[in-house]
Amino acid sequence: MSETTLKNKATFRSLLKTNIKDYSMVMMLALIMIIFAFLTDGVNLNSRNITNIFMQNSHILLLATTMILLIITCNIDLACPATCAFIGAVSAMLYNTGIGMVPTVAISVAIGIAIYAVMGYMVAYLKMPAFIVTLGFLLLFRGLTYIITNVTPISLMDDGFKQISSGMVDIPSLVVDRVHYTALLVGVVLFVLYVIADLAARRNKARYGFEVSPVFAVVLKIIVVGALIGAISWKFATYRGIPIVVVVLGCTVGLFTFISKRTVMGRYIYAVGGNARSAKLSGINSEMVNFIVFLMMGFVAGLAAVVFTGYMNSALPQAGNMFDMDSIAACYIGGASATGGIGSVMGAIIGGLVMAGINNGMSLMNIAAQWQYVVKAVILLLAVFYDIYTRRKSGLG
């Protein structure tokens, strides 16, 4: 065997070991969807069901995009169920005054940021434990929600609000034989942008002397990502087009992926999560970093509240149940470390889709809700065990 072949195999093994969590979660997601395809006679893979998976779980996926940043910095948010319920109720009341959807969304997001600014200040500057602070706000805003709603659902005055959750982005002239080619066009654009960004990042790493993935690995990743984008785009195209909420989710994921991977703030977030004391000694304002991460969480909580209210087409006093647990589970299943400093936005999204795929598959099989809780608990415990096991094996635990 030639020296070049041996070197390529060693490089591939090193690449696989470095990214084992990301690869394993993607493979797990694919395996789950394939297994349920056999168990449900392919119903879970039809276009309508794939679209519904995204629409039904969009609020959890949104929360996961910033919950992962809190977990990376060794913080947590237990308050999002109650804050989302409160903001959802306020958004419904605002919309019913006739101010319109755009002002309603803007005010709802601003309320979320304001609420989390208070929590962030208490955690970052007053050094109060995030667990206790967010638990206190959970109780506070659950009570406030019951007070302002009088424990009664708030109906919306028309169907305009729910468009953010159930509406579609489409160009009528591109609908041919019930195929919405707008979705395919958007898929092509996203794939081209992904290839350009990935190759540019690889070129920048090589320019500054960092280790880069071999060409075959880059080509393989591009093919896999292209196939995934193409498959999802086709599913959307053959149903009703791209849901508005998927566009919102995609923009949110893109924003926080860029922040976490391409900005100084992103590097600070990982530094604070990896070792807060060392980060402080190196000149990083860890208090400000933690505060800003809470502001990000507030932004997304306000957005998720509007999305869920639109999906339910009313503001429910008990809304938000299990939002925190589901989004936290998505983060840990997607590769976040229980000790902080490790995780990614895309990993959290994949983790959320794993949970969504399991819930959806079991629902299609008419499995009772109590067994669904058992399965989710087992998966979460296995994900945390896997994290601890791999860290100990690599000498990091």
Side-chain angles (χ1 to χ4, degrees):
M1 190 176 292
S2 67
E3 183 179 345
T4 302
T5 303
L6 289 172
K7 185 177 180 181
N8 286 338
K9 283 190 173 185
T11 303
F12 181 77
R13 284 196 297 268
S14 175
L15 182 69
L16 187 63
K17 184 176 180 181
T18 303
N19 299 277
I20 186 64
K21 283 189 177 181
D22 294 336
Y23 294 151
S24 61
M25 286 304 105
V26 172
M27 289 186 289
M28 179 185 290
L29 177 59
L31 181 62
I32 288 168
M33 298 304 290
I34 291 171
I35 290 174
F36 279 117
F38 283 105
L39 296 176
T40 63
D41 294 326
V43 174
N44 72 313
L45 293 180
N46 68 38
S47 299
R48 178 176 181 175
N49 192 64
I50 293 296
T51 301
N52 286 338
I53 286 176
F54 280 94
M55 293 172 67
Q56 293 169 0
N57 296 277
S58 55
H59 55 284
I60 298 299
L61 297 177
L62 280 169
L63 290 170
T65 60
T66 44
M67 184 68 78
I68 185 67
L69 301 181
L70 281 174
I71 291 174
I72 288 171
T73 56
C74 300
N75 290 306
I76 201 74
D77 175 25
L78 302 180
C80 60
T83 55
C84 285
F86 177 80
I87 297 169
V90 172
S91 68
M93 293 176 179
L94 287 171
Y95 183 76
N96 286 343
T97 65
I99 67 171
M101 195 62 210
V102 173
T104 297
V105 174
I107 295 172
S108 299
V109 169
I111 293 172
I113 293 173
I115 292 171
Y116 278 82
V118 178
M119 282 191 276
Y121 181 82
M122 296 171 74
V123 172
Y125 294 101
L126 300 184
K127 305 300 181 183
M128 297 174 66
F131 183 91
I132 300 300
V133 170
T134 57
L135 178 60
F137 273 72
L138 168 69
L139 300 175
L140 170 64
F141 280 96
R142 183 60 71 189
L144 290 176
T145 303
Y146 288 153
I147 291 171
I148 67 172
T149 62
N150 198 26
V151 200
T152 304
I154 301 174
S155 299
L156 298 169
M157 66 178 186
D158 56 41
D159 291 339
F161 198 109
K162 72 176 184 180
Q163 289 303 308
I164 192 171
S165 294
S166 58
M168 298 290 170
V169 176
D170 205 9
I171 300 174
S173 60
L174 292 181
V175 180
V176 181
D177 295 331
R178 296 186 178 181
V179 177
H180 300 257
Y181 285 96
T182 304
L184 296 179
L185 178 62
V186 171
V188 170
V189 172
L190 287 177
F191 176 67
V192 171
L193 291 175
Y194 168 77
V195 172
I196 293 173
D198 193 62
L199 294 179
R202 186 176 187 275
R203 185 166 56 251
N204 286 335
K205 284 184 178 181
R207 181 187 305 167
Y208 292 106
F210 292 102
E211 183 179 359
V212 295
S213 303
V215 174
F216 75 88
V218 174
V219 173
L220 179 62
K221 187 168 80 167
I222 288 175
I223 292 173
V224 171
V225 172
L228 181 61
I229 292 175
I232 294 176
S233 299
W234 177 250
K235 293 297 181 181
F236 289 154
T238 51
Y239 182 48
R240 292 170 52 204
I242 302 177
I244 293 175
V245 73
V246 170
V247 176
V248 173
L249 176 62
C251 292
T252 306
V253 170
L255 172 64
F256 290 108
T257 297
F258 176 79
I259 290 173
S260 62
K261 297 296 184 183
R262 306 294 182 192
T263 67
V264 173
M265 175 55 63
R267 290 193 288 272
Y268 285 176
I269 289 171
Y270 282 96
V272 169
N275 192 317
R277 182 174 177 80
S278 296
K280 187 74 173 178
L281 293 173
S282 63
I284 296 174
N285 188 340
S286 57
E287 291 83 5
M288 180 60 72
V289 170
N290 284 322
F291 181 72
I292 291 176
V293 172
F294 268 92
L295 294 183
M296 294 176 183
M297 189 70 206
F299 170 83
V300 173
L303 202 56
V306 173
V307 167
F308 186 73
T309 302
Y311 177 72
M312 300 303 295
N313 204 28
S314 64
L316 306 176
Q318 71 276 19
N321 184 38
M322 295 296 291
F323 280 15
D324 51 345
M325 296 299 102
D326 286 343
S327 57
I328 290 170
C331 295
Y332 283 117
I333 292 171
S337 173
T339 56
I342 296 174
S344 68
V345 174
M346 279 308 303
I349 295 299
I350 293 171
L353 290 175
V354 167
M355 297 292 287
I358 292 171
N359 288 339
N360 178 259
M362 290 191 293
S363 296
L364 291 174
M365 295 175 64
N366 293 318
I367 295 176
Q370 56 266 33
W371 286 107
Q372 295 185 30
Y373 283 119
V374 171
V375 172
K376 289 197 290 186
V378 170
I379 292 172
L380 177 59
L381 292 172
L382 287 175
V384 176
F385 170 78
Y386 179 69
D387 168 61
I388 294 173
Y389 172 77
T390 52
R391 286 174 65 81
R392 285 179 178 175
K393 190 173 181 181
S394 61
L396 297 175

